[in-house]
């Protein structure tokens, strides 16, 4: 089955309002006149979501979708600092990162919290980009597949086939994020294949064949093509290299 690739730029806690707006504008201009076969997703800070949404269709053609980096596990109410799924959805957000390793590590996001967030994403028609991946010690022990399967089992297993079908998975080995150390193509293909196998086992063949699995972790213009050529890689979740329009464009081109 041919899956449409998704190239997502995770801007993390970078860029002030003017530079976020400029980057969105530059990406729009670069993509506007091209025939792009991939889905493009920009994931700015929640503070800048609406500005980036405002730039996604300035000349009548929508060039990218907008995502959020996180969502509250609560639906509404007295949760100071949180943004609800309803708020994000009504601000034009279409995708939400769930369980990025930085949130798992610095904000103690465990599977109970992630399940609450996933539930609200599905309720408010937000597509979750569910992040998983092992740390270096886990890989060195040879337990990387078991680790990722456990992350999937502890969260996604609670949801229906239709909900899982509406999910994007991002495999991001923690040791490759922001380190300049990319997993080899063989390591990436092995893990993506293992994730697809797990999805098939817990849903059905059609879901396993159609679900998109992105690679993330030091994906750059010079290694993107080889990574995207792996049969089970359906695009990338790009951090550092998504902050420069030219680099992000080069990565999009590598997917074509
Ligand atoms: P990186 O980040 O491309 O800077 O390694 C990827 C991510 O954390 O999503």
């Amino acid at each position: 089955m041919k899956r449409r690739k998704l190239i997502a730029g995770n801007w993390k806690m970078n860029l002030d309002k003017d530079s976020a707006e400029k980057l969105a504008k530059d990406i729009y201009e670069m993509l506007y006149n091209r025939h792009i076969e991939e889905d493009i997703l920009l994931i700015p800070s929640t503070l800048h979501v609406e500005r980036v949404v405002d730039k996604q269709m300035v000349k009548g053609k929508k060039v990218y979708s907008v995502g959020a980096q996180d969502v509250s596990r609560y639906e509404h109410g007295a949760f100071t600092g949180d943004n609800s799924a309803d708020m994000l959805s009504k601000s034009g957000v279409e995708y939400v990162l769930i369980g990025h390793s930085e949130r798992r590590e610095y904000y103690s996001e465990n599977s109970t919290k992630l399940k609450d967030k996933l539930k609200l994403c599905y309720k408010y028609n937000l597509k979750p980009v569910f992040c998983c991946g092992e740390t270096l010690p886990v890989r060195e022990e040879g337990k990387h597949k078991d680790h990722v399967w456990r992350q999937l089992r502890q969260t996604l297993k609670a949801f229906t086939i239709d909900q899982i079908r509406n999910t994007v998975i991002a495999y991001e080995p923690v040791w490759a994020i922001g380190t300049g150390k990319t997993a080899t193509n063989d390591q990436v293909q092995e893990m993506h294949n293992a994730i697809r196998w797990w999805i098939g086992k817990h849903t059905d063949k059609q879901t396993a064949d159609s679900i998109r699995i992105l690679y993330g972790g030091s994906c750059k213009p010079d290694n993107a093509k080889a990574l995207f050529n792996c049969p089970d890689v359906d695009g990338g979740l790009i951090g550092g290299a998504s902050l420069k329009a030219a680099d992000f464009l080069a990565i999009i081109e590598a997917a074509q």
Side-chain angles (χ1 to χ4, degrees), residues 10 12 100 102 172 176-178 216-219 237-240:
N10 175 11
K12 307 193 181 183
H100 189 283
E102 287 150 17
E172 299 202 298
I177 296 178
S218 299
C219 182
L237 180 54
I238 321 298

Side-chain angles (χ1 to χ4, degrees), residues 59-88:
K59 294 191 213 163
K61 174 179 161 192
K62 182 171 161 187
V63 156
Y64 59 78
S65 297
V66 179
Q69 296 174 16
D70 185 34
V71 63
S72 177
R73 65 186 287 214
Y74 304 106
E75 197 158 2
H76 51 78
F79 300 100
T80 302
D82 270 15
N83 293 291
S84 74
D86 188 30
M87 289 171 187
L88 294 175

Side-chain angles (χ1 to χ4, degrees), residues 9-17 20-21 23 42-53 66-70 83 88 91 93 97 243:
N10 175 11
W11 295 357
K12 307 193 181 183
M13 198 171 69
N14 294 298
L15 308 175
D16 61 21
K17 69 181 165 69
E21 195 169 314
L23 182 56
L42 303 185
I43 314 175
S45 137
T46 306
L47 187 60
H48 302 141
V49 151
E50 290 198 348
R51 283 171 178 259
V52 177
V53 167
V66 179
Q69 296 174 16
D70 185 34
N83 293 291
L88 294 175
S91 297
V93 165
L97 295 183
L243 294 171

